[in-house]
Amino acid sequence: MGLFPRLGHRFVARWHRAFVQSPHAVAVVAVGTDPRGCEQVVGFLLGATDRRAFRRDVLAEHGWALFGYGVVALALRPLTLVHFLRTRLGPYLQQLWPSSAAARRTDDGARSATVGDLVGDLTAVAVAPSIRRDGAGRRLVEEFLERCAAAGTPAVELVTATSSAAAVAFYVNTGWTGLGSCATRDGVPVQRFGRRLDVTEGA
């Protein structure tokens, strides 16, 4: 979901590296064994313990590399370039200049108005289809929440496509609270969820 997957493997790999390297982010994997007893990655989770600080880290450490990969990817993908110009160029430019502070407040404030300034972000979680009912996704999310609590993060948010009934049900059944629905810049309906954390447990 979103633009980044359309920009190709090299862009996404660099984006994922930001989660590994930032002190304000979390990247964890679930490891299982195949029938021969060999270990294999069967799931992963990416998230931020402080999404604003993580964005600053991304811009400072990876901004130019991501910009370069993005430009090349768009040049090689004309349809994606047209889509980018139509749906994202204006908002991205607004985020680069101080005169657009109101636009940034609209983007961030709409998501975090109910939970304060320090908010974690569960960005992505994926599990191999063969083990989706084995609890790997739940354990990945629990590990992430524990790390957020240890970092002093009082609340975490996420968005998931409303068309994925299984994902919506997963978050409803694991203690997340619905924060409303909206649509992405691509027009995809999404459901927002939040989770308050007891930071004393992780201290």
Side-chain angles (χ1 to χ4, degrees), residues 155-185:
V156 178
E157 294 181 355
L158 64 88
V159 296
T160 189
T162 56
S163 61
S164 178
V168 172
F170 171 80
Y171 293 116
V172 169
N173 295 332
T174 52
W176 294 75
T177 300
L179 299 177
S181 58
C182 57
T184 68
R185 293 191 179 105

CSV table of all heavy atoms in Angstrom, one decimal, residues 155-185:
chain,number,residue,atom,x,y,z
A,155,ALA,N,2.0,6.0,23.6
A,155,ALA,CA,1.0,5.5,22.7
A,155,ALA,C,1.6,5.2,21.3
A,155,ALA,O,2.6,5.8,20.9
A,155,ALA,CB,-0.1,6.6,22.6
A,156,VAL,N,0.9,4.3,20.6
A,156,VAL,CA,1.4,3.9,19.3
A,156,VAL,C,0.1,3.9,18.4
A,156,VAL,O,-1.0,3.7,18.8
A,156,VAL,CB,1.9,2.5,19.3
A,156,VAL,CG1,2.4,2.0,17.9
A,156,VAL,CG2,3.1,2.4,20.2
A,157,GLU,N,0.4,4.3,17.1
A,157,GLU,CA,-0.7,4.3,16.1
A,157,GLU,C,-0.3,3.5,14.9
A,157,GLU,O,0.9,3.2,14.7
A,157,GLU,CB,-1.1,5.7,15.8
A,157,GLU,CG,-1.7,6.5,16.9
A,157,GLU,CD,-2.1,7.9,16.5
A,157,GLU,OE1,-1.8,8.3,15.3
A,157,GLU,OE2,-2.6,8.7,17.3
A,158,LEU,N,-1.3,3.2,14.1
A,158,LEU,CA,-1.1,2.5,12.8
A,158,LEU,C,-2.3,2.8,11.9
A,158,LEU,O,-3.3,3.2,12.4
A,158,LEU,CB,-0.9,1.0,13.0
A,158,LEU,CG,-2.1,0.2,13.6
A,158,LEU,CD1,-3.0,-0.3,12.5
A,158,LEU,CD2,-1.6,-1.0,14.4
A,159,VAL,N,-2.1,2.5,10.6
A,159,VAL,CA,-3.2,2.5,9.7
A,159,VAL,C,-3.2,1.2,8.9
A,159,VAL,O,-2.1,0.6,8.7
A,159,VAL,CB,-3.1,3.6,8.7
A,159,VAL,CG1,-3.3,5.0,9.4
A,159,VAL,CG2,-1.8,3.6,7.9
A,160,THR,N,-4.3,0.6,8.6
A,160,THR,CA,-4.4,-0.6,7.8
A,160,THR,C,-5.6,-0.4,6.8
A,160,THR,O,-6.5,0.3,7.1
A,160,THR,CB,-4.6,-1.8,8.7
A,160,THR,OG1,-4.5,-3.0,7.9
A,160,THR,CG2,-6.0,-1.8,9.4
A,161,ALA,N,-5.4,-1.0,5.7
A,161,ALA,CA,-6.5,-0.9,4.7
A,161,ALA,C,-7.8,-1.6,5.2
A,161,ALA,O,-7.8,-2.7,5.7
A,161,ALA,CB,-6.0,-1.6,3.4
A,162,THR,N,-8.9,-0.9,5.0
A,162,THR,CA,-10.2,-1.4,5.5
A,162,THR,C,-10.6,-2.6,4.6
A,162,THR,O,-11.4,-3.4,5.1
A,162,THR,CB,-11.3,-0.4,5.4
A,162,THR,OG1,-11.3,0.2,4.1
A,162,THR,CG2,-11.0,0.8,6.3
A,163,SER,N,-10.0,-2.8,3.4
A,163,SER,CA,-10.4,-3.9,2.6
A,163,SER,C,-9.8,-5.2,3.1
A,163,SER,O,-10.2,-6.3,2.8
A,163,SER,CB,-9.8,-3.7,1.2
A,163,SER,OG,-8.4,-3.5,1.1
A,164,SER,N,-8.8,-5.1,4.1
A,164,SER,CA,-8.2,-6.3,4.7
A,164,SER,C,-8.9,-6.6,6.0
A,164,SER,O,-8.5,-6.2,7.0
A,164,SER,CB,-6.7,-6.1,4.9
A,164,SER,OG,-6.1,-7.2,5.6
A,165,ALA,N,-10.0,-7.4,5.8
A,165,ALA,CA,-10.8,-7.7,7.0
A,165,ALA,C,-10.0,-8.5,8.0
A,165,ALA,O,-10.2,-8.2,9.2
A,165,ALA,CB,-12.0,-8.5,6.6
A,166,ALA,N,-9.1,-9.3,7.6
A,166,ALA,CA,-8.2,-10.1,8.6
A,166,ALA,C,-7.4,-9.1,9.4
A,166,ALA,O,-7.2,-9.3,10.6
A,166,ALA,CB,-7.4,-11.1,7.8
A,167,ALA,N,-6.8,-8.1,8.7
A,167,ALA,CA,-5.9,-7.2,9.5
A,167,ALA,C,-6.7,-6.4,10.5
A,167,ALA,O,-6.3,-6.2,11.6
A,167,ALA,CB,-5.2,-6.3,8.5
A,168,VAL,N,-7.9,-5.9,10.0
A,168,VAL,CA,-8.7,-5.1,10.9
A,168,VAL,C,-9.1,-5.9,12.1
A,168,VAL,O,-9.1,-5.5,13.3
A,168,VAL,CB,-10.0,-4.6,10.2
A,168,VAL,CG1,-11.0,-3.9,11.1
A,168,VAL,CG2,-9.6,-3.6,9.1
A,169,ALA,N,-9.6,-7.2,11.9
A,169,ALA,CA,-10.0,-8.1,12.9
A,169,ALA,C,-8.8,-8.3,13.9
A,169,ALA,O,-9.0,-8.4,15.1
A,169,ALA,CB,-10.5,-9.4,12.4
A,170,PHE,N,-7.6,-8.5,13.3
A,170,PHE,CA,-6.4,-8.8,14.2
A,170,PHE,C,-6.2,-7.7,15.2
A,170,PHE,O,-6.0,-7.9,16.4
A,170,PHE,CB,-5.2,-8.9,13.3
A,170,PHE,CG,-3.9,-9.0,14.0
A,170,PHE,CD1,-3.5,-10.2,14.6
A,170,PHE,CD2,-3.1,-7.9,14.1
A,170,PHE,CE1,-2.3,-10.3,15.3
A,170,PHE,CE2,-1.9,-8.0,14.8
A,170,PHE,CZ,-1.5,-9.2,15.4
A,171,TYR,N,-6.3,-6.4,14.7
A,171,TYR,CA,-6.0,-5.3,15.6
A,171,TYR,C,-7.1,-5.1,16.6
A,171,TYR,O,-6.9,-4.8,17.8
A,171,TYR,CB,-5.7,-4.0,14.9
A,171,TYR,CG,-4.4,-4.1,14.1
A,171,TYR,CD1,-4.4,-4.1,12.7
A,171,TYR,CD2,-3.2,-4.3,14.7
A,171,TYR,CE1,-3.2,-4.2,12.0
A,171,TYR,CE2,-2.0,-4.4,14.0
A,171,TYR,CZ,-2.0,-4.3,12.7
A,171,TYR,OH,-0.9,-4.5,12.0
A,172,VAL,N,-8.4,-5.3,16.2
A,172,VAL,CA,-9.5,-5.2,17.1
A,172,VAL,C,-9.4,-6.3,18.2
A,172,VAL,O,-9.6,-6.0,19.4
A,172,VAL,CB,-10.8,-5.4,16.3
A,172,VAL,CG1,-12.0,-5.5,17.3
A,172,VAL,CG2,-11.1,-4.2,15.4
A,173,ASN,N,-9.0,-7.5,17.8
A,173,ASN,CA,-8.9,-8.6,18.8
A,173,ASN,C,-7.7,-8.6,19.7
A,173,ASN,O,-7.6,-9.4,20.6
A,173,ASN,CB,-9.0,-9.9,18.0
A,173,ASN,CG,-10.3,-10.1,17.3
A,173,ASN,OD1,-11.3,-9.6,17.8
A,173,ASN,ND2,-10.3,-10.9,16.2
A,174,THR,N,-6.7,-7.7,19.4
A,174,THR,CA,-5.5,-7.6,20.2
A,174,THR,C,-5.4,-6.3,21.0
A,174,THR,O,-4.3,-6.0,21.4
A,174,THR,CB,-4.2,-7.9,19.3
A,174,THR,OG1,-4.2,-6.9,18.2
A,174,THR,CG2,-4.2,-9.3,18.8
A,175,GLY,N,-6.5,-5.7,21.2
A,175,GLY,CA,-6.5,-4.6,22.1
A,175,GLY,C,-6.3,-3.2,21.6
A,175,GLY,O,-6.1,-2.2,22.3
A,176,TRP,N,-6.3,-3.0,20.2
A,176,TRP,CA,-6.2,-1.7,19.6
A,176,TRP,C,-7.5,-1.0,19.6
A,176,TRP,O,-8.6,-1.7,19.4
A,176,TRP,CB,-5.6,-1.8,18.2
A,176,TRP,CG,-4.2,-2.3,18.2
A,176,TRP,CD1,-3.7,-3.6,18.4
A,176,TRP,CD2,-3.0,-1.6,18.0
A,176,TRP,NE1,-2.4,-3.7,18.4
A,176,TRP,CE2,-1.9,-2.4,18.1
A,176,TRP,CE3,-2.7,-0.2,17.8
A,176,TRP,CZ2,-0.6,-2.0,18.0
A,176,TRP,CZ3,-1.4,0.2,17.7
A,176,TRP,CH2,-0.4,-0.7,17.7
A,177,THR,N,-7.5,0.3,19.6
A,177,THR,CA,-8.8,1.1,19.6
A,177,THR,C,-8.9,1.8,18.3
A,177,THR,O,-7.9,2.4,17.8
A,177,THR,CB,-8.7,2.1,20.7
A,177,THR,OG1,-8.6,1.5,22.0
A,177,THR,CG2,-10.0,3.0,20.7
A,178,GLY,N,-10.0,1.7,17.7
A,178,GLY,CA,-10.3,2.4,16.4
A,178,GLY,C,-10.2,3.9,16.6
A,178,GLY,O,-10.8,4.5,17.5
A,179,LEU,N,-9.5,4.6,15.7
A,179,LEU,CA,-9.4,6.1,15.8
A,179,LEU,C,-10.1,6.8,14.6
A,179,LEU,O,-9.9,8.0,14.4
A,179,LEU,CB,-7.9,6.5,15.9
A,179,LEU,CG,-7.1,6.0,17.1
A,179,LEU,CD1,-5.7,6.5,17.0
A,179,LEU,CD2,-7.7,6.5,18.4
A,180,GLY,N,-10.8,6.0,13.9
A,180,GLY,CA,-11.5,6.6,12.7
A,180,GLY,C,-11.0,6.1,11.4
A,180,GLY,O,-10.0,5.4,11.4
A,181,SER,N,-11.6,6.5,10.4
A,181,SER,CA,-11.2,6.1,9.0
A,181,SER,C,-10.9,7.3,8.2
A,181,SER,O,-11.4,8.4,8.4
A,181,SER,CB,-12.2,5.2,8.4
A,181,SER,OG,-13.5,5.9,8.3
A,182,CYS,N,-10.1,7.1,7.1
A,182,CYS,CA,-9.8,8.1,6.2
A,182,CYS,C,-9.4,7.5,4.9
A,182,CYS,O,-9.6,6.3,4.7
A,182,CYS,CB,-8.7,9.1,6.7
A,182,CYS,SG,-7.2,8.3,7.2
A,183,ALA,N,-8.8,8.2,4.0
A,183,ALA,CA,-8.3,7.6,2.7
A,183,ALA,C,-6.9,8.1,2.5
A,183,ALA,O,-6.5,9.3,2.9
A,183,ALA,CB,-9.2,8.0,1.5
A,184,THR,N,-6.1,7.3,1.9
A,184,THR,CA,-4.7,7.7,1.5
A,184,THR,C,-4.7,8.6,0.3
A,184,THR,O,-5.8,8.9,-0.3
A,184,THR,CB,-3.8,6.5,1.2
A,184,THR,OG1,-4.3,5.9,0.0
A,184,THR,CG2,-3.9,5.4,2.3
A,185,ARG,N,-3.6,9.2,0.0
A,185,ARG,CA,-3.5,10.0,-1.2
A,185,ARG,C,-3.8,9.3,-2.5
A,185,ARG,O,-4.1,9.9,-3.5
A,185,ARG,CB,-2.1,10.6,-1.3
A,185,ARG,CG,-1.7,11.6,-0.2
A,185,ARG,CD,-0.4,12.3,-0.5
A,185,ARG,NE,-0.1,13.3,0.5
A,185,ARG,CZ,0.9,13.1,1.4
A,185,ARG,NH1,1.6,12.0,1.4
A,185,ARG,NH2,1.1,14.1,2.3
